[in-house]
Amino acid sequence: MLSGCSAGLRLLVPRCCVLLSRSVSSGSPGRAAAVDGVLSAFRSICGDDGVSLGEAVREQHGKDESFHRCRPPDVVVFPRCVEEVSALAKLCHRHQLPIIPFGTGTGLEGGVGAVKGGVCFSLRNMDQILDLHPEDFDVTVEPGVTRKALNSYLRETGLWFPVDPGADASLCGMAATSASGTNAVRYGTMRENVMNLEVVLADGSIIHTAGKNRRPRKTAAGYNLTNLFVGSEGTLGLITKTTLRLYGVPEEMVSAVCSFSSVQAAVDSTVQILQAGVPIARIEFLDEVMIDACNRFSSLSYPVSPTLFLEFHGSERSLEEQVNTTEGITQSNGGSDFQWARDVETRNRLWKARHDAWYAAQAMRPGCKAYATDVCVPLSRLPQIIVETKEDLIESRLTGHIVGHVGDGNFHCLMVMDPSDQDELHRVHLFTERLARRALAMDGTCTGEHGVGLGKRSLLCEEVGPSAIQVMQSLKDAIDPKNLMNPGKILV
């Protein structure tokens, strides 16, 4: 148990530096023997092709899109149903083998690394859309279903699921990390859109956080177990089903791009648009470094200056009012005339360019790697923190791109660096710590949507305080007393 934030920081900050630059090995001969002892039982549950010891498969399932690296899992299993997940978990519990859930590997904070080895549960074979209730605007899916697959399935129903983190992540994985994205300013994050979860606990028992088959739009019954597991990053259990809110596809959608002479003007416009009560669906900020990268990567021709990407949803009449109000605000801040994207093909190309920002940033320095971090602050503090972050990047001599869901105060900094340059790695590490603490000093959070994972455990203690950390640890100890579920993430 942590005795205070300072103790946690002394232990964790040096390790975070290591995780940015090289792999961590924590092999155990005893654990290897335990794995060998249960392989035949694993195969009896999910078949010979449902268990893999292959080095390439284990490496693939031991990392995400982040720089954080640990050893790969000792074995990867591919269950096909919740009963198999439960049976496998019971074996792991009996033999004290760590359990690491794996969806699509698109996380950004090292959330799937096998810090203590163990068994990776790859849930891709559980890919069924189980219960769609169009009249109730909800659907239940298994963990192998991605957001794009769900929206493709819903295409003819007039419904869609709007939470869009960019990557084609699995929906249960998005629930586990409390994912967000470009539409969050209007439709909320996963936390607001998950109605029920089926979860397999470390001992193999199965629970339904809102009751089996329950899907009311609201409830006042008991503790909010659903939101306890949303954002728990696999440290409390394996999510094997999620029931989600759906929305009607808007009658009309239009997108626009507007450039500004300064970061301050662009972000001031964002705050004023929201203060005016415009129900904008998306409002994304890209600084001049990021817009230049997107222009090059996606063959666009927008002015290389701080830019807002905006999208409006609604009826033809409501859109006219939204657009007029927004355009008036942007022009009062020196913004350019809107460049419109009205047809579906042009809008999709525009937002694909925004979602390809990660790859566009990497392409600016061939042979280098991108490292992303995110913070979130109250809207009124957004102009200040972005301006200060830009200044910090320049002073730190770092190649950094700023892009974000500024409609809810959340932005990302994508830094492109040479992983073999130890001095640059050190400067990136110091910068990310300063950025997080800058957000905390402005009453914000060290992570708006990437999660804690391996990278921000010490910062979590600073954010919520040692007493809250102790409560979290008590919950973890009660639900997973052997510390088998994704150990080493969020908490020590």
Side-chain angles (χ1 to χ4, degrees):
M1 187 74 67
L2 288 175
S3 59
C5 289
S6 58
L9 283 172
R10 286 196 298 271
L11 290 169
L12 292 170
V13 169
R15 186 172 187 190
C16 289
C17 295
V18 171
L19 288 168
L20 275 170
S21 59
R22 60 183 175 87
S23 297
V24 176
S25 177
S26 57
S28 164
R31 180 161 293 119
V35 170
D36 289 341
V38 297
L39 285 176
S40 61
F42 283 170
R43 293 189 177 105
S44 70
I45 293 168
C46 48
D48 289 344
D49 59 350
V51 180
S52 179
L53 295 169
E55 183 177 353
V57 174
R58 292 189 297 112
E59 288 285 347
Q60 174 193 352
H61 287 82
K63 61 185 179 182
D64 56 14
E65 294 286 352
S66 74
F67 254 79
H68 306 295
R69 292 290 182 266
C70 299
R71 57 168 293 183
D74 298 305
V75 59
V76 182
V77 294
F78 299 88
R80 295 160 293 193
C81 60
V82 65
E83 291 79 13
E84 290 186 0
V85 174
S86 174
L88 291 165
K90 287 176 181 176
L91 281 170
C92 292
H93 189 262
R94 189 180 310 147
H95 294 274
Q96 299 195 47
L97 294 172
I99 298 169
I100 306 99
F102 189 93
T104 56
T106 55
L108 292 169
E109 286 295 344
V112 297
V115 175
K116 297 184 178 182
V119 184
C120 174
F121 283 53
S122 180
L123 303 173
R124 69 186 189 194
N125 290 337
M126 299 172 63
D127 59 358
Q128 298 300 303
I129 297 172
L130 298 171
D131 293 298
L132 172 62
H133 300 96
E135 68 283 3
D136 295 324
F137 294 84
D138 65 64
V139 67
T140 300
V141 302
E142 290 186 326
V145 179
T146 66
R147 65 174 186 87
K148 288 184 179 179
L150 175 61
N151 280 327
S152 177
Y153 180 88
L154 295 171
R155 190 168 293 151
E156 303 302 320
T157 68
L159 301 174
W160 71 315
F161 184 70
V163 181
D164 177 6
D168 189 23
S170 69
L171 290 158
C172 287
M174 288 167 60
T177 57
S178 192
S180 183
T182 58
N183 286 311
V185 61
R186 178 156 182 174
Y187 299 99
T189 70
M190 289 300 287
R191 202 171 289 281
E192 290 79 42
N193 287 288
V194 174
M195 301 167 66
N196 199 352
L197 296 169
E198 178 185 80
V199 180
V200 176
L201 302 180
D203 64 359
S205 58
I206 302 170
I207 67 167
H208 299 84
T209 56
K212 190 171 184 179
N213 299 324
R214 306 289 178 198
R215 48 188 184 87
R217 301 296 286 182
K218 63 180 181 180
T219 177
Y223 297 144
N224 191 340
L225 294 182
T226 301
N227 270 354
L228 175 62
F229 284 89
V230 172
S232 62
E233 302 183 35
T235 61
L236 300 178
L238 296 116
I239 297 174
T240 52
K241 289 187 185 70
T242 179
T243 300
L244 303 167
R245 296 176 185 268
L246 300 177
Y247 296 80
V249 175
E251 179 183 329
E252 298 282 346
M253 296 184 187
V254 295
S255 300
V257 179
C258 183
S259 58
F260 296 82
S261 60
S262 69
V263 171
Q264 185 80 41
V267 183
D268 281 347
S269 293
T270 300
V271 175
Q272 291 166 24
I273 289 165
L274 295 170
Q275 288 173 338
V278 177
I280 196 160
R282 308 191 204 193
I283 183 163
E284 296 287 297
F285 170 79
L286 289 77
D287 72 352
E288 70 280 4
V289 182
M290 189 71 258
I291 200 71
D292 183 39
C294 287
N295 277 345
R296 294 168 183 261
F297 187 79
S298 300
S299 300
L300 303 174
S301 56
Y302 295 120
V304 179
S305 59
T307 300
L308 292 180
F309 284 21
L310 311 101
E311 187 164 279
F312 307 89
H313 296 174
S315 65
E316 185 174 346
R317 183 174 179 179
S318 69
L319 285 186
E320 183 179 354
E321 182 179 353
Q322 291 180 48
V323 169
N324 288 340
T325 301
T326 301
E327 197 159 21
I329 290 171
T330 57
Q331 289 180 353
S332 71
N333 285 293
S336 67
D337 291 338
F338 281 179
Q339 296 185 50
W340 291 102
R342 296 181 183 275
D343 62 280
V344 173
E345 183 178 349
T346 306
R347 280 194 292 104
N348 287 345
R349 186 156 50 89
L350 171 69
W351 290 108
K352 185 177 188 304
R354 162 62 185 87
H355 287 322
D356 284 345
W358 173 270
Y359 307 104
Q362 284 196 119
M364 295 294 279
R365 285 183 70 183
C368 292
K369 299 292 184 182
Y371 175 76
T373 189
D374 84 311
V375 297
C376 188
V377 296
L379 287 174
S380 62
R381 309 304 295 272
L382 197 56
Q384 179 186 352
I385 192 171
I386 290 184
V387 169
E388 290 181 7
T389 299
K390 292 276 294 176
E391 293 171 351
D392 195 352
L393 282 167
I394 294 169
E395 292 172 4
S396 302
R397 296 176 291 114
L398 294 173
T399 303
H401 309 68
I402 292 179
V403 55
H405 320 308
V406 288
D408 50 17
N410 180 210
F411 72 92
H412 310 265
C413 191
L414 310 180
M415 287 153 291
V416 187
M417 59 184 181
D418 180 356
S420 65
D421 185 335
Q422 294 301 311
D423 177 66
E424 188 173 23
L425 283 170
H426 183 61
R427 282 184 280 120
V428 166
H429 175 69
L430 294 177
F431 166 83
T432 58
E433 286 201 334
R434 285 195 301 274
L435 173 58
R437 293 195 172 98
R438 190 177 298 126
L440 295 181
M442 295 183 185
D443 304 325
T445 174
C446 67
T447 175
E449 63 181 24
H450 289 184
V452 175
L454 285 169
K456 293 186 173 179
R457 294 179 302 180
S458 58
L459 292 163
L460 178 66
C461 183
E462 289 188 50
E463 180 170 327
V464 303
S467 296
I469 289 289
Q470 288 175 2
V471 172
M472 293 184 193
Q473 188 68 60
S474 296
L475 288 167
K476 168 74 168 170
D477 292 343
I479 296 171
D480 178 22
K482 294 185 178 182
N483 191 26
L484 298 180
M485 293 303 311
N486 210 8
K489 316 300 165 49
I490 302 183
L491 302 170
V492 180

